[in-house]
């Protein structure tokens, strides 16, 4: 039987609580998502019944754990339409995945004078690794600008990507501006100039259907916890020929083929990158989260969030003193909406909202160059997910109006 979107909310018991004597409205999903009972139960089942190390033992529990651990690679590959499960590398998250690409592929393929192109809207995880690589090898780090509406400036894309470009690294969806970037167009241009396309999928993978082949990515990274899996698990997908060229970055047990006193040979990808005992429970949880999302359907999830944005974005813009960063057209927006209220510091706004039971994020969102580009120190940010409903969006609007009234007149 097909369930309505409203019925999935019951899968998240954490939402049924009072915060500061108000019912909780959780709108901090861009930071991390809540976990459905199916994911928690998968972790519980693993620890109660199958807990053992993987790839090491021949006993029943070890074989069951290994079978589940490897099966999740196939689920991930199907989820992002990767050609092979052997192109799925488990990492701690998006940050580690992008660092590995920069430190392994980048350090062995980018040379002095080459160009690395990113954008002003990158999260620090997709900025600092490239900045460090550029400094290390003497490459030039270039930035694609944004338009006045907060979209990727396609004229700037054309200007910044040249025959000197070795790597283009871009977020698929901004964690501040709430826009989805035209990765397919940028990747096509990058490839015309012989560059490799790296995509940060941290804010897109949980919310829209991802197809790494259609978008033309060469590497793709995302975190599990933003799509309802546990923290500490993520994925790096890379084309098999590129992964084969990358030297491993961590050395130890289970990533080796053979060790002699003075020489070691390594396994093939993805296992050569996964030294030591991995986050096995995290992988099991990731598989359960993908099962959960796939059963609902990513198109259905995206459509639900778009309906909420169609209400919330205009409602916020109608409040005098509210500035929304990013496109004002709901059709161009993900469920991430960043805003400021009059001259109030975002931390004060977020604290006031928390007193009303509404959880939002405030700060620079690990995107300080973007904050500087927007000429602000910080913003408040509301971010939606599949369990949010119209009442949640209305609570944010009502609470924001009350916050404005309190700071202006000392009462609500």
């Amino acid at each position: 039987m097909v369930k309505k979107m409203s019925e999935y909310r019951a899968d998240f018991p954490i939402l049924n609580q009072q915060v500061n004597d108000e019912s909780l409205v959780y709108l901090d999903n861009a930071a991390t998502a809540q976990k459905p009972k199916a994911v928690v139960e998968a972790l519980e089942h693993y620890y109660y019944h199958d807990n053992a190390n993987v790839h090491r033992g021949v006993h029943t529990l070890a074989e069951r754990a290994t079978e589940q651990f490897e099966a999740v690679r196939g689920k991930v590959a199907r989820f992002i339409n990767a050609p092979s499960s052997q192109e799925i590398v488990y990492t701690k998250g998006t940050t580690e995945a992008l660092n590995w690409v920069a430190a392994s592929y980048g350090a062995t393929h980018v040379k002095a004078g080459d160009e690395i192109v990113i954008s002003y809207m990158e999260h620090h995880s997709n900025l600092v690794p490239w900045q460090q690589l550029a400094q290390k090898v003497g490459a030039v780090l270039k930035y694609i600008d944004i338009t006045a509406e907060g979209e990727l400036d396609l004229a700037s894309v054309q200007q910044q990507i040249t025959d000197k470009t070795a790597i283009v690294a871009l977020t698929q969806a901004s964690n501040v501006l709430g826009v989805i970037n035209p990765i397919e167009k940028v990747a096509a241009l990058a490839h015309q100039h012989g560059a490799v396309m790296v995509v940060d999928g941290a804010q897109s993978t949980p919310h829209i259907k991802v197809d790494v082949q259609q978008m033309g990515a060469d590497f793709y990274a995302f975190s599990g916890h933003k799509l309802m899996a546990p923290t500490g698990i993520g994925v790096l997908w890379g084309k098999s020929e590129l992964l084969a060229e990358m030297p491993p970055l961590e050395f130890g047990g289970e990533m080796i083929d053979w060790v002699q006193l003075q020489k070691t040979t390594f396994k093939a990808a993805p296992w050569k990158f996964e030294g030591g005992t991995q986050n096995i429970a995290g992988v099991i949880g990731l598989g359960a989260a993908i099962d959960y999302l796939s059963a609902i359907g990513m198109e259905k999830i995206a459509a639900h969030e778009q309906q909420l944005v169609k209400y919330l974005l205009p409602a916020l813009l109608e409040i005098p003193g509210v500035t929304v960063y990013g496109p004002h057209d709901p059709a161009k927006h993900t469920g991430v909406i960043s805003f400021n209220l009059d001259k109030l510091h975002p931390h004060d706004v977020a604290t006031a909202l928390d007193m009303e039971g509404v959880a939002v994020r405030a700060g620079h969102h690990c995107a300080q160059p973007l904050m500087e580009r927007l000429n602000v120190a910080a913003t408040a940010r509301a971010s939606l997910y599949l369990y949010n409903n119209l009442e949640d969006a209305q609570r944010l609007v009502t609470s924001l109006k009350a916050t404005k009234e309190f700071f202006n007149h000392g009462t609500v």
Side-chain angles (χ1 to χ4, degrees):
M1 182 177 176
V2 178
K3 293 170 65 174
K4 297 177 181 176
M5 285 304 296
S6 59
E7 295 177 295
Y8 291 105
R9 191 177 175 96
D11 295 336
F12 301 85
I14 195 172
L15 299 176
N16 299 321
Q17 63 174 293
Q18 299 281 307
V19 171
N20 295 319
D21 297 325
E22 301 286 349
S23 58
L24 171 65
V25 173
Y26 186 78
L27 297 175
D28 194 19
N29 297 289
T32 197
Q34 301 301 342
K35 320 307 177 194
K37 288 186 282 189
V39 169
V40 177
E41 287 167 0
L43 296 173
E44 186 180 70
H45 186 276
Y46 167 71
Y47 279 124
Y48 282 169
H49 301 281
D50 303 325
N51 180 44
N53 214 327
V54 298
H55 296 146
R56 288 164 171 82
V58 295
H59 59 81
T60 300
L61 264 59
E63 289 188 348
R64 287 209 302 250
T66 301
E67 183 179 345
Q68 294 175 63
F69 183 83
E70 289 301 325
V72 174
R73 289 192 211 273
K75 292 182 182 180
V76 174
R78 290 188 290 277
F79 192 62
I80 62 173
N81 195 31
S84 168
S85 62
Q86 294 188 15
E87 295 176 338
I88 304 300
V89 183
Y90 296 132
T91 68
K92 288 190 293 188
T94 307
T95 299
E96 185 173 72
L98 293 169
N99 270 273
W100 281 7
V101 178
S104 180
Y105 181 85
T108 52
H109 290 77
V110 179
K111 60 184 184 303
D114 284 350
E115 296 173 348
I116 302 167
V117 178
I118 61 176
S119 82
Y120 276 95
M121 68 174 73
E122 301 311 315
H123 185 282
H124 293 167
S125 294
N126 197 34
L127 189 159
V128 180
W130 306 114
Q131 191 182 69
Q132 296 302 303
L133 173 63
Q135 292 174 4
K136 181 178 179 180
V137 304
V140 179
L141 184 61
K142 300 169 70 177
Y143 286 82
I144 298 169
D145 206 354
I146 58 174
T147 66
E149 266 229 316
E151 297 179 74
L152 196 72
D153 187 335
L154 294 180
S156 181
V157 171
Q158 293 281 346
Q159 292 170 352
Q160 298 300 340
I161 299 176
T162 73
D163 286 343
K164 292 184 179 179
T165 305
I167 289 175
V168 178
L170 199 63
T171 184
Q172 188 174 16
S174 169
N175 72 321
V176 175
L177 300 170
V179 292
I180 296 178
N181 288 324
I183 297 295
E184 196 169 342
K185 288 183 180 177
V186 179
L189 185 64
H191 293 154
Q192 286 175 23
H193 290 280
V196 165
M197 186 74 211
V198 182
V199 182
D200 172 358
Q203 295 295 338
S204 52
T205 315
H207 303 284
I208 62 174
K209 188 171 179 58
V210 168
D211 187 330
V212 294
Q213 297 185 75
Q214 184 177 14
M215 75 175 72
D218 296 299
F219 292 103
Y220 189 88
F222 68 92
S223 297
H225 70 98
K226 295 181 194 294
L227 54 76
M228 301 181 175
T231 55
I233 185 66
V235 166
L236 169 64
W237 168 79
K239 288 182 175 175
S240 56
E241 61 270 27
L242 300 180
L243 292 177
E245 295 174 3
M246 291 170 55
L249 290 167
E250 295 180 354
F251 304 96
E254 288 305 311
M255 52 77 68
I256 56 92
D257 178 36
W258 195 259
V259 178
Q260 298 174 297
L261 288 177
Q262 302 296 333
K263 181 182 176 183
T264 298
T265 57
F266 305 110
K267 290 181 177 175
W271 302 282
K272 70 177 177 180
F273 300 107
E274 298 173 357
T277 297
Q278 296 296 298
N279 182 359
I280 303 166
V283 171
I284 303 296
L286 175 62
I290 287 175
D291 287 343
Y292 183 82
L293 293 171
S294 299
I296 300 172
M298 296 309 295
E299 294 91 345
K300 189 174 177 180
I301 292 168
H304 172 72
E305 292 178 16
Q306 180 60 208
Q307 284 301 312
L308 296 180
V309 171
K310 282 182 179 176
Y311 162 76
L312 183 56
L313 188 56
L316 291 176
L317 288 167
E318 285 179 2
I319 301 174
V322 167
T323 301
V324 173
Y325 303 95
H328 291 180
D329 179 357
K332 296 181 177 179
H333 236 281
T334 67
V336 170
I337 302 177
S338 293
F339 59 91
N340 275 324
L341 175 60
D342 287 330
K343 296 181 180 179
L344 294 177
H345 194 285
H347 285 174
D348 292 332
V349 173
T351 301
L353 291 175
D354 184 57
M355 295 305 296
E356 300 286 331
V358 179
V360 301
R361 171 85 176 265
H364 54 64
H365 312 296
C366 298
Q368 288 176 316
L370 177 58
M371 294 294 114
E372 190 173 343
R373 178 67 179 79
L374 297 172
N375 197 29
V376 296
T379 73
R381 181 186 71 188
S383 50
L384 303 159
Y385 210 2
L386 65 93
Y387 39 70
N388 291 123
N389 54 28
L390 182 60
E391 288 73 25
D392 290 343
Q394 290 170 334
R395 278 277 302 281
L396 172 61
V397 173
T398 302
S399 298
L400 197 57
K401 289 178 179 176
T403 298
K404 176 183 166 70
E405 185 65 18
F406 175 79
F407 279 100
N408 284 344
H409 304 291
T411 185
V412 295

